[in-house]
Amino acid sequence: MTPAARAQAAITVLDQVLSGEAAEAALIRWARNSRFAGSGDRAAVRDIVFDALRRMRSRAALGGALSGRGLILGMCRDEGTDPAQVFTGAPYAPAMLEPAEVQSQRAPSPAEAMDLPDWMQPFWRDALGETAADVAAALRDRAPVWLRANTLRASPDEALAALERDGIVARPSAKLASALEVIEGARRVAASGAYADGLVELQDLSPQLACAALPRVGSALDYCAGGGGKALALAAAGVTRIVAHDVEASRMADLPARAKRAGVRLRLAAPGRVEGKFDLVLTDVPCSGSGTWRRTPDAKWRLDRAGLDRLVALQARIMDEAAAFVAPGGHLAYMTCSVFEQENAEQIAAFRARSDFEPVSELRLTPLNASDGFYLALMRRR
């Protein structure tokens, strides 16, 4: 596909997203209907779509319209590309610009430049203070790829060497030696020998730092396990008895294979069938994902205030359920990939007011001091 044809494909997908379809679903449908597109084309179109969604308000202003064409025109103007090289009117390329489109450019307002919905900007500023604009700006760019060196299989240096043999260049974080940032060859990771042999797992730096801040205990329950990344990290850190649970068991479908590859033993509990008490209960609760919106940028445009309120209520219910499995003197770890106070500090304050838990530590991470936005509150049962 030519660059112009890729731009037209992105326009098609973006119009579908703007009409309400999830970005991943729209991209998958386009790929299935476009057998002529190679893997490089599919990756390029995905990158264009996600970049446009990360910067949707500012690009719409620059392009003069909140539409697929407007966003791609805004991209050209934002990046200094001559729009005439993209809107060529050639087969499979976007139609040539109309005179009104040529005259449509304007600079984004300060609110549009944040690339956040208006309703959430006060919450954003309340949570992040003087760093609000810088964090919003960081979420307008593509997220880095981080790996966790599985120290049950290899040292970080051995993992780096194995990655390099597959053409993947990575470097360790100054904050955590086992956290490896991929700087070349990120798309090769899933097919690499290092990944297949369990030497590395895909996991962002921020949750790695949060897991490293948890106490080393004998037993742990990952109550909202999902794919199980944090359960695997706990096992690599030396926790010997781990139970993974999720209300939707299908989310854990790949966990047995991942655990086998990593050399880890853990048990899966069916939804609602957790038994016993644990030294540590981890609740990585469903949340707005506001700290990860550069990875799922369409999510920030789908969230509304009512949706945020529903998430806050769900988080409170999950914490109350999970707390019942904490042994006397044991720990409860509450995690979100959000930056909003309603989901973080305010949620913890409300929980402590109705429970017998005392604070131990708190960790707040953003792209300015780690990678994704992330929150950890660690509490101990009195």
Coordinates of all heavy atoms in Angstrom, one line a residue, residues 290-380:
S290 N -7.2 5.6 32.8 CA -6.7 7.0 32.4 C -5.2 7.1 32.3 O -4.7 7.9 31.6 CB -7.3 8.0 33.3 OG -7.1 7.8 34.7
G291 N -4.5 6.2 33.1 CA -3.1 6.2 33.0 C -2.5 5.5 31.8 O -1.3 5.6 31.5
T292 N -3.4 4.8 31.1 CA -2.9 4.0 29.9 C -3.5 4.4 28.6 O -3.5 3.6 27.6 CB -3.2 2.5 30.2 OG1 -4.7 2.3 30.2 CG2 -2.6 2.0 31.5
W293 N -4.1 5.6 28.6 CA -4.8 6.0 27.4 C -4.0 6.2 26.1 O -4.5 6.2 25.0 CB -5.6 7.3 27.7 CG -6.9 7.0 28.4 CD1 -7.6 5.8 28.4 CD2 -7.7 7.9 29.1 NE1 -8.7 5.9 29.2 CE2 -8.8 7.2 29.6 CE3 -7.6 9.2 29.5 CZ2 -9.8 7.8 30.4 CZ3 -8.5 9.8 30.2 CH2 -9.7 9.1 30.7
R294 N -2.7 6.2 26.2 CA -1.9 6.2 25.0 C -1.9 4.8 24.4 O -1.6 4.7 23.2 CB -0.5 6.7 25.2 CG 0.3 6.0 26.3 CD 1.6 6.7 26.5 NE 2.4 6.1 27.7 CZ 3.6 6.6 28.1 NH1 4.1 7.5 27.4 NH2 4.1 6.0 29.1
R295 N -2.2 3.8 25.1 CA -2.3 2.4 24.6 C -3.7 2.2 24.1 O -3.9 1.4 23.1 CB -2.0 1.4 25.7 CG -0.6 1.6 26.2 CD -0.3 0.6 27.3 NE 0.9 0.8 28.0 CZ 2.1 0.5 27.6 NH1 2.3 -0.2 26.5 NH2 3.2 0.8 28.3
T296 N -4.7 2.7 24.7 CA -6.1 2.5 24.3 C -6.8 3.9 24.2 O -7.7 4.2 25.0 CB -6.9 1.7 25.3 OG1 -6.8 2.3 26.6 CG2 -6.3 0.2 25.4
P297 N -6.4 4.7 23.2 CA -6.8 6.1 23.2 C -8.3 6.3 23.0 O -8.8 7.3 23.4 CB -6.0 6.7 22.1 CG -5.6 5.6 21.2 CD -5.4 4.4 22.1
D298 N -9.0 5.4 22.3 CA -10.4 5.6 22.1 C -11.2 5.5 23.4 O -12.3 6.0 23.5 CB -11.0 4.6 21.1 CG -10.7 3.1 21.4 OD1 -9.6 2.9 22.0 OD2 -11.5 2.3 21.1
A299 N -10.6 4.9 24.4 CA -11.3 4.7 25.7 C -11.5 6.1 26.4 O -12.5 6.2 27.1 CB -10.5 3.8 26.6
K300 N -10.6 7.0 26.2 CA -10.8 8.3 26.9 C -12.0 9.1 26.3 O -12.5 9.9 27.0 CB -9.5 9.1 26.9 CG -9.1 9.6 25.6 CD -7.8 10.5 25.8 CE -7.1 10.9 24.5 NZ -5.9 11.7 24.7
W301 N -12.3 8.8 25.0 CA -13.4 9.5 24.4 C -14.7 8.8 24.7 O -15.8 9.4 24.5 CB -13.2 9.6 22.9 CG -11.8 10.2 22.6 CD1 -10.8 9.6 22.0 CD2 -11.4 11.5 22.9 NE1 -9.7 10.4 21.9 CE2 -10.0 11.6 22.5 CE3 -12.0 12.6 23.6 CZ2 -9.3 12.8 22.6 CZ3 -11.2 13.8 23.7 CH2 -9.9 13.8 23.2
R302 N -14.7 7.5 25.1 CA -15.9 6.8 25.4 C -16.4 7.0 26.9 O -17.5 6.8 27.2 CB -15.7 5.3 25.2 CG -15.6 4.9 23.7 CD -15.8 3.4 23.5 NE -15.0 2.6 24.3 CZ -13.8 2.1 23.9 NH1 -13.3 2.4 22.7 NH2 -13.1 1.3 24.7
L303 N -15.4 7.3 27.7 CA -15.7 7.5 29.2 C -16.5 8.7 29.4 O -16.2 9.8 28.9 CB -14.5 7.5 30.0 CG -14.6 7.6 31.5 CD1 -15.2 6.3 32.1 CD2 -13.3 7.9 32.2
D304 N -17.6 8.6 30.2 CA -18.3 9.8 30.7 C -18.4 9.8 32.2 O -18.0 8.9 32.8 CB -19.7 9.9 30.0 CG -20.6 8.7 30.3 OD1 -20.3 8.0 31.2 OD2 -21.6 8.5 29.5
R305 N -19.0 10.9 32.8 CA -19.0 11.0 34.2 C -19.8 9.9 34.8 O -19.4 9.3 35.9 CB -19.6 12.4 34.6 CG -19.7 12.5 36.1 CD -18.3 12.4 36.8 NE -18.5 12.2 38.2 CZ -18.6 13.2 39.1 NH1 -18.6 14.5 38.7 NH2 -18.6 13.0 40.4
A306 N -20.9 9.5 34.2 CA -21.7 8.4 34.8 C -20.9 7.1 34.7 O -21.0 6.3 35.7 CB -23.0 8.2 34.0
G307 N -20.1 6.9 33.7 CA -19.3 5.7 33.6 C -18.2 5.7 34.7 O -17.9 4.6 35.3
L308 N -17.6 6.8 35.0 CA -16.7 6.9 36.1 C -17.3 6.6 37.4 O -16.7 5.9 38.2 CB -16.0 8.3 36.1 CG -15.0 8.6 37.1 CD1 -13.8 7.6 37.0 CD2 -14.5 10.0 37.1
D309 N -18.5 7.1 37.6 CA -19.2 6.8 38.9 C -19.5 5.3 39.0 O -19.4 4.8 40.2 CB -20.5 7.6 39.0 CG -20.2 9.1 39.1 OD1 -19.1 9.5 39.5 OD2 -21.2 9.9 38.9
R310 N -19.9 4.7 38.0 CA -20.1 3.3 38.0 C -18.9 2.5 38.4 O -18.9 1.5 39.1 CB -20.7 2.8 36.7 CG -22.2 3.2 36.5 CD -22.8 2.4 35.3 NE -22.1 2.8 34.0 CZ -22.5 3.8 33.2 NH1 -23.5 4.6 33.6 NH2 -21.9 4.0 32.1
L311 N -17.7 2.9 37.8 CA -16.5 2.2 38.1 C -16.1 2.4 39.6 O -15.7 1.4 40.2 CB -15.4 2.8 37.2 CG -15.4 2.3 35.8 CD1 -14.4 3.2 34.9 CD2 -15.0 0.9 35.7
V312 N -16.3 3.6 40.1 CA -16.0 3.8 41.5 C -16.8 2.9 42.4 O -16.3 2.4 43.4 CB -16.2 5.3 41.9 CG1 -16.1 5.6 43.4 CG2 -15.1 6.2 41.1
A313 N -18.1 2.8 42.1 CA -19.0 1.9 42.9 C -18.5 0.5 42.8 O -18.5 -0.3 43.8 CB -20.4 2.1 42.4
L314 N -18.1 0.0 41.6 CA -17.7 -1.4 41.4 C -16.4 -1.6 42.2 O -16.2 -2.6 42.8 CB -17.4 -1.6 39.9 CG -16.8 -3.0 39.5 CD1 -17.7 -4.1 40.0 CD2 -16.6 -3.0 38.0
Q315 N -15.5 -0.6 42.1 CA -14.2 -0.8 42.9 C -14.4 -0.9 44.4 O -13.8 -1.8 45.0 CB -13.3 0.5 42.6 CG -12.8 0.5 41.2 CD -12.4 2.0 40.8 OE1 -12.5 2.9 41.6 NE2 -12.1 2.2 39.5
A316 N -15.3 -0.2 44.9 CA -15.6 -0.3 46.3 C -16.2 -1.7 46.7 O -15.8 -2.3 47.7 CB -16.6 0.8 46.7
R317 N -17.0 -2.2 45.8 CA -17.6 -3.5 46.1 C -16.5 -4.6 46.0 O -16.5 -5.5 46.9 CB -18.7 -3.8 45.1 CG -19.4 -5.1 45.4 CD -20.7 -5.2 44.6 NE -20.5 -5.4 43.1 CZ -20.7 -4.5 42.2 NH1 -21.2 -3.3 42.5 NH2 -20.5 -4.8 40.9
I318 N -15.6 -4.5 45.1 CA -14.5 -5.5 44.9 C -13.6 -5.4 46.1 O -13.2 -6.5 46.7 CB -13.8 -5.2 43.6 CG1 -14.6 -5.6 42.4 CG2 -12.4 -6.0 43.6 CD1 -14.0 -5.2 41.1
M319 N -13.3 -4.2 46.6 CA -12.4 -4.1 47.8 C -13.1 -4.8 49.0 O -12.4 -5.5 49.8 CB -12.1 -2.7 48.1 CG -10.8 -2.2 47.4 SD -10.1 -0.8 48.3 CE -11.3 0.4 48.0
D320 N -14.3 -4.6 49.2 CA -15.0 -5.2 50.3 C -15.0 -6.7 50.2 O -14.8 -7.4 51.2 CB -16.5 -4.7 50.4 CG -16.5 -3.2 50.8 OD1 -15.5 -2.7 51.4 OD2 -17.6 -2.6 50.6
E321 N -15.2 -7.2 49.0 CA -15.2 -8.7 48.8 C -13.8 -9.2 49.1 O -13.6 -10.2 49.8 CB -15.6 -9.0 47.3 CG -17.0 -8.7 47.0 CD -17.3 -8.9 45.5 OE1 -16.3 -9.3 44.8 OE2 -18.4 -8.7 45.1
A322 N -12.8 -8.6 48.5 CA -11.4 -9.1 48.6 C -10.9 -9.0 50.0 O -10.1 -9.9 50.5 CB -10.5 -8.3 47.7
A323 N -11.3 -8.0 50.8 CA -10.8 -7.8 52.1 C -11.2 -9.0 53.0 O -10.4 -9.3 54.0 CB -11.4 -6.6 52.8
A324 N -12.2 -9.7 52.7 CA -12.7 -10.9 53.5 C -11.6 -12.0 53.4 O -11.6 -12.9 54.3 CB -14.0 -11.4 53.0
F325 N -10.7 -12.0 52.4 CA -9.8 -13.1 52.3 C -8.4 -12.7 52.9 O -7.5 -13.5 52.7 CB -9.6 -13.4 50.8 CG -10.9 -13.9 50.2 CD1 -11.6 -13.1 49.3 CD2 -11.5 -15.1 50.5 CE1 -12.8 -13.5 48.8 CE2 -12.7 -15.6 50.0 CZ -13.3 -14.8 49.1
V326 N -8.3 -11.6 53.5 CA -7.0 -11.2 54.1 C -6.9 -11.8 55.5 O -7.8 -11.6 56.3 CB -6.9 -9.6 54.1 CG1 -5.5 -9.2 54.8 CG2 -7.0 -9.0 52.7
A327 N -5.8 -12.5 55.7 CA -5.5 -13.1 57.0 C -5.3 -12.0 58.1 O -4.9 -10.9 57.7 CB -4.4 -14.0 56.9
P328 N -5.5 -12.3 59.4 CA -5.1 -11.3 60.4 C -3.7 -10.9 60.3 O -2.8 -11.7 60.1 CB -5.4 -12.1 61.7 CG -6.4 -13.1 61.3 CD -6.1 -13.5 59.9
G329 N -3.5 -9.6 60.2 CA -2.1 -9.0 60.1 C -1.6 -9.0 58.6 O -0.5 -8.6 58.3
G330 N -2.5 -9.5 57.7 CA -2.1 -9.6 56.3 C -2.3 -8.3 55.6 O -2.8 -7.3 56.1
H331 N -2.0 -8.3 54.3 CA -2.0 -7.1 53.5 C -3.0 -7.1 52.4 O -3.2 -8.2 51.8 CB -0.6 -6.8 52.9 CG 0.5 -6.5 53.9 ND1 1.1 -7.4 54.6 CD2 1.0 -5.2 54.2 CE1 2.0 -6.8 55.4 NE2 2.0 -5.5 55.1
L332 N -3.6 -6.0 52.1 CA -4.5 -5.8 51.0 C -3.8 -4.7 50.1 O -3.5 -3.6 50.6 CB -5.9 -5.3 51.5 CG -6.9 -5.0 50.4 CD1 -7.2 -6.2 49.5 CD2 -8.1 -4.4 51.0
A333 N -3.6 -5.0 48.8 CA -3.0 -4.1 47.9 C -4.1 -3.7 46.9 O -4.7 -4.6 46.2 CB -1.8 -4.8 47.2
Y334 N -4.3 -2.4 46.8 CA -5.3 -1.9 45.8 C -4.5 -1.2 44.7 O -3.7 -0.3 45.0 CB -6.2 -0.9 46.6 CG -7.2 -0.1 45.7 CD1 -8.4 -0.7 45.3 CD2 -6.9 1.1 45.2 CE1 -9.3 0.0 44.5 CE2 -7.8 1.8 44.4 CZ -9.0 1.2 44.0 OH -9.9 1.9 43.2
M335 N -4.8 -1.6 43.5 CA -4.1 -1.0 42.3 C -5.1 -0.6 41.3 O -6.2 -1.2 41.0 CB -3.2 -2.1 41.7 CG -2.0 -2.5 42.5 SD -1.1 -3.7 41.6 CE 0.3 -4.0 42.7
T336 N -4.8 0.5 40.6 CA -5.5 1.0 39.4 C -4.5 1.5 38.4 O -3.3 1.8 38.8 CB -6.5 2.1 39.6 OG1 -5.8 3.3 39.8 CG2 -7.4 1.9 40.8
C337 N -4.9 1.5 37.1 CA -4.0 2.2 36.1 C -4.7 3.5 35.8 O -4.9 3.9 34.6 CB -3.8 1.3 34.9 SG -5.3 0.6 34.1
S338 N -5.1 4.2 36.8 CA -5.8 5.5 36.7 C -5.0 6.6 37.4 O -4.3 6.3 38.4 CB -7.2 5.4 37.3 OG -7.9 6.7 37.3
V339 N -5.3 7.8 37.0 CA -4.7 8.9 37.7 C -5.8 9.7 38.5 O -5.4 10.6 39.3 CB -4.0 9.9 36.8 CG1 -2.9 9.2 36.0 CG2 -5.0 10.6 35.8
F340 N -7.0 9.4 38.4 CA -8.1 10.1 39.0 C -8.2 9.8 40.5 O -8.1 8.7 41.0 CB -9.5 9.8 38.4 CG -9.6 10.3 37.0 CD1 -10.1 9.4 36.0 CD2 -9.3 11.6 36.6 CE1 -10.2 9.9 34.7 CE2 -9.4 12.0 35.3 CZ -9.9 11.1 34.3
E341 N -8.3 10.9 41.3 CA -8.4 10.7 42.8 C -9.7 10.0 43.2 O -9.6 9.3 44.2 CB -8.4 12.1 43.4 CG -7.1 12.9 43.4 CD -6.1 12.2 44.2 OE1 -6.0 12.5 45.4 OE2 -5.3 11.3 43.7
Q342 N -10.8 10.1 42.4 CA -12.0 9.3 42.8 C -11.7 7.8 42.8 O -12.3 7.1 43.6 CB -13.1 9.6 41.8 CG -13.6 11.0 41.8 CD -12.9 11.9 40.8 OE1 -11.7 11.7 40.5 NE2 -13.5 13.0 40.3
E343 N -10.8 7.4 41.9 CA -10.5 5.9 41.9 C -9.4 5.6 42.8 O -9.1 4.4 43.0 CB -10.2 5.6 40.4 CG -11.3 5.8 39.4 CD -11.0 5.4 38.0 OE1 -10.3 6.2 37.3 OE2 -11.3 4.3 37.7
N344 N -8.6 6.5 43.3 CA -7.4 6.3 44.0 C -7.5 6.7 45.5 O -8.1 6.0 46.3 CB -6.2 6.9 43.3 CG -6.0 6.3 41.9 OD1 -6.4 5.2 41.6 ND2 -5.4 7.1 41.0
A345 N -7.0 7.8 45.8 CA -6.9 8.2 47.2 C -8.3 8.4 47.9 O -8.5 8.0 49.0 CB -6.1 9.5 47.4
E346 N -9.3 8.9 47.1 CA -10.6 9.0 47.7 C -11.2 7.7 47.9 O -12.0 7.5 48.9 CB -11.5 9.9 46.8 CG -11.1 11.4 46.7 CD -11.9 12.2 45.8 OE1 -13.0 11.7 45.4 OE2 -11.5 13.3 45.4
Q347 N -11.0 6.7 47.0 CA -11.5 5.4 47.2 C -10.9 4.7 48.4 O -11.6 4.1 49.2 CB -11.2 4.6 45.9 CG -11.8 3.2 45.9 CD -13.2 3.2 45.6 OE1 -14.0 3.2 46.6 NE2 -13.6 3.1 44.4
I348 N -9.6 4.9 48.6 CA -9.0 4.3 49.8 C -9.5 5.0 51.1 O -9.7 4.3 52.1 CB -7.4 4.5 49.7 CG1 -6.9 3.6 48.5 CG2 -6.7 4.0 51.0 CD1 -7.3 2.2 48.6
A349 N -9.6 6.3 51.1 CA -10.1 6.9 52.3 C -11.5 6.4 52.7 O -11.8 6.2 53.9 CB -10.2 8.4 52.1
A350 N -12.4 6.2 51.7 CA -13.7 5.7 52.0 C -13.6 4.2 52.5 O -14.4 3.9 53.4 CB -14.6 5.7 50.7
F351 N -12.8 3.4 51.9 CA -12.6 2.0 52.4 C -12.1 2.0 53.8 O -12.6 1.2 54.6 CB -11.7 1.3 51.4 CG -11.3 -0.1 51.9 CD1 -12.3 -1.1 51.8 CD2 -10.1 -0.4 52.4 CE1 -11.9 -2.4 52.3 CE2 -9.8 -1.6 52.9 CZ -10.7 -2.7 52.8
R352 N -11.1 2.7 54.1 CA -10.5 2.7 55.5 C -11.6 3.1 56.5 O -11.6 2.6 57.6 CB -9.3 3.6 55.5 CG -8.1 3.0 54.8 CD -6.8 3.8 55.1 NE -6.6 3.9 56.6 CZ -6.3 5.0 57.2 NH1 -6.1 6.1 56.5 NH2 -6.1 5.0 58.5
A353 N -12.5 4.0 56.1 CA -13.5 4.5 57.1 C -14.5 3.4 57.4 O -15.1 3.5 58.5 CB -14.2 5.7 56.5
R354 N -14.6 2.4 56.6 CA -15.6 1.3 56.9 C -14.9 0.0 57.1 O -15.6 -1.1 57.2 CB -16.5 1.2 55.7 CG -15.9 0.8 54.4 CD -17.0 0.6 53.3 NE -16.4 0.1 52.1 CZ -15.9 0.8 51.1 NH1 -15.9 2.1 51.2 NH2 -15.4 0.2 50.0
S355 N -13.6 0.0 57.3 CA -12.8 -1.3 57.5 C -11.8 -1.2 58.6 O -11.7 -0.2 59.3 CB -12.1 -1.7 56.2 OG -11.0 -0.8 56.0
D356 N -11.2 -2.3 58.9 CA -10.2 -2.4 60.0 C -8.7 -2.5 59.4 O -7.9 -3.1 59.9 CB -10.4 -3.6 60.9 CG -10.3 -4.9 60.1 OD1 -10.3 -4.9 58.9 OD2 -10.2 -6.0 60.8
F357 N -8.5 -1.7 58.3 CA -7.2 -1.7 57.7 C -6.5 -0.4 57.9 O -7.1 0.7 57.9 CB -7.3 -2.0 56.1 CG -7.6 -3.4 55.8 CD1 -8.9 -3.9 55.8 CD2 -6.5 -4.2 55.3 CE1 -9.1 -5.2 55.5 CE2 -6.8 -5.5 55.0 CZ -8.1 -6.0 55.1
E358 N -5.2 -0.5 58.1 CA -4.4 0.7 58.3 C -3.4 0.9 57.1 O -3.0 -0.1 56.5 CB -3.6 0.6 59.6 CG -2.6 -0.6 59.6 CD -1.9 -0.7 61.0 OE1 -2.3 0.1 61.9 OE2 -1.1 -1.6 61.1
P359 N -3.1 2.1 56.8 CA -2.2 2.4 55.6 C -0.8 1.9 55.9 O -0.2 2.0 57.0 CB -2.2 3.9 55.4 CG -2.5 4.4 56.8 CD -3.4 3.4 57.5
V360 N -0.1 1.4 54.9 CA 1.3 1.0 54.9 C 2.1 1.9 54.0 O 3.1 2.5 54.4 CB 1.5 -0.5 54.6 CG1 3.0 -0.8 54.5 CG2 0.8 -1.4 55.6
S361 N 1.7 2.0 52.7 CA 2.4 2.8 51.7 C 1.5 3.1 50.6 O 0.4 2.5 50.4 CB 3.6 2.0 51.2 OG 3.3 0.9 50.6
E362 N 1.9 4.1 49.8 CA 1.2 4.6 48.6 C 2.2 4.9 47.5 O 3.3 5.4 47.8 CB 0.4 5.8 49.0 CG -0.5 6.3 47.9 CD -1.3 7.6 48.3 OE1 -0.6 8.6 48.7 OE2 -2.5 7.6 48.2
L363 N 1.8 4.5 46.3 CA 2.7 4.8 45.2 C 1.9 5.4 44.1 O 0.9 4.8 43.7 CB 3.3 3.4 44.7 CG 4.4 3.5 43.6 CD1 5.6 4.3 44.0 CD2 4.8 2.1 43.2
R364 N 2.3 6.5 43.5 CA 1.7 7.2 42.4 C 2.7 7.3 41.3 O 3.8 7.9 41.5 CB 1.2 8.6 42.8 CG 0.1 8.6 43.9 CD -0.1 10.0 44.4 NE -1.1 10.1 45.4 CZ -2.3 10.4 45.3 NH1 -2.8 10.7 44.1 NH2 -3.2 10.5 46.3
L365 N 2.3 6.8 40.1 CA 3.2 6.8 39.0 C 2.5 7.4 37.8 O 1.3 7.3 37.6 CB 3.7 5.4 38.6 CG 4.4 4.6 39.8 CD1 4.5 3.1 39.4 CD2 5.7 5.2 40.1
T366 N 3.3 8.1 37.0 CA 2.8 8.7 35.8 C 3.9 8.6 34.7 O 5.1 8.1 35.0 CB 2.5 10.3 35.9 OG1 3.8 11.0 36.0 CG2 1.7 10.5 37.2
P367 N 3.7 8.9 33.5 CA 4.7 8.9 32.5 C 5.9 9.8 32.8 O 7.0 9.6 32.2 CB 4.0 9.3 31.2 CG 2.6 9.0 31.4 CD 2.4 9.2 32.8
L368 N 5.7 10.7 33.7 CA 6.8 11.6 34.0 C 7.8 11.0 35.0 O 9.0 11.4 35.1 CB 6.3 12.9 34.7 CG 5.2 13.6 33.8 CD1 4.9 14.9 34.5 CD2 5.7 13.9 32.4
N369 N 7.4 9.9 35.8 CA 8.3 9.3 36.7 C 8.4 7.8 36.5 O 9.2 7.1 37.3 CB 8.0 9.6 38.2 CG 6.6 9.2 38.6 OD1 5.9 8.5 37.8 ND2 6.2 9.5 39.8
A370 N 7.6 7.2 35.6 CA 7.7 5.8 35.3 C 7.3 5.6 33.8 O 8.0 6.1 32.9 CB 6.8 5.0 36.3
S371 N 6.2 4.9 33.6 CA 5.7 4.7 32.3 C 4.2 5.0 32.2 O 3.8 6.2 32.1 CB 6.0 3.3 31.8 OG 5.6 3.1 30.4
D372 N 3.3 4.0 32.4 CA 1.9 4.3 32.5 C 1.5 5.0 33.8 O 2.3 4.9 34.8 CB 1.1 3.0 32.4 CG 1.1 2.4 31.0 OD1 1.5 3.1 30.1 OD2 0.7 1.2 30.9
G373 N 0.4 5.7 33.8 CA -0.1 6.2 35.1 C -0.6 5.0 35.9 O -1.3 4.1 35.4
F374 N -0.3 5.0 37.2 CA -0.6 3.8 38.0 C -0.7 4.2 39.5 O 0.0 5.2 39.9 CB 0.5 2.7 37.8 CG 0.1 1.3 38.1 CD1 -0.5 0.6 37.2 CD2 0.2 0.8 39.4 CE1 -1.0 -0.7 37.4 CE2 -0.2 -0.5 39.7 CZ -0.8 -1.3 38.7
Y375 N -1.5 3.5 40.2 CA -1.6 3.8 41.6 C -1.6 2.5 42.4 O -2.2 1.5 42.0 CB -3.0 4.5 41.8 CG -3.3 4.8 43.3 CD1 -2.7 6.0 43.9 CD2 -4.1 4.0 44.0 CE1 -3.0 6.3 45.2 CE2 -4.4 4.3 45.4 CZ -3.9 5.5 46.0 OH -4.1 5.8 47.3
L376 N -0.9 2.5 43.6 CA -0.9 1.4 44.5 C -1.1 2.0 45.9 O -0.4 2.9 46.3 CB 0.4 0.7 44.5 CG 0.8 -0.2 45.7 CD1 -0.2 -1.4 45.8 CD2 2.2 -0.7 45.6
A377 N -2.1 1.4 46.6 CA -2.2 1.7 48.1 C -2.1 0.3 48.8 O -2.8 -0.6 48.5 CB -3.6 2.3 48.4
L378 N -1.1 0.2 49.7 CA -0.9 -1.0 50.4 C -1.4 -0.8 51.9 O -1.0 0.2 52.5 CB 0.6 -1.4 50.4 CG 1.0 -2.7 51.1 CD1 0.3 -3.9 50.4 CD2 2.5 -2.9 51.2
M379 N -2.2 -1.7 52.3 CA -2.8 -1.6 53.7 C -2.6 -2.9 54.4 O -2.5 -4.0 53.8 CB -4.3 -1.3 53.5 CG -4.6 0.1 52.9 SD -6.4 0.2 52.4 CE -6.4 -0.8 50.9
R380 N -2.7 -2.8 55.7 CA -2.5 -4.0 56.6 C -3.8 -4.1 57.5 O -4.3 -3.1 58.1 CB -1.3 -3.9 57.5 CG -1.0 -5.1 58.4 CD 0.1 -4.8 59.3 NE 1.4 -4.6 58.7 CZ 2.0 -3.5 58.6 NH1 1.5 -2.4 59.2 NH2 3.2 -3.4 58.0

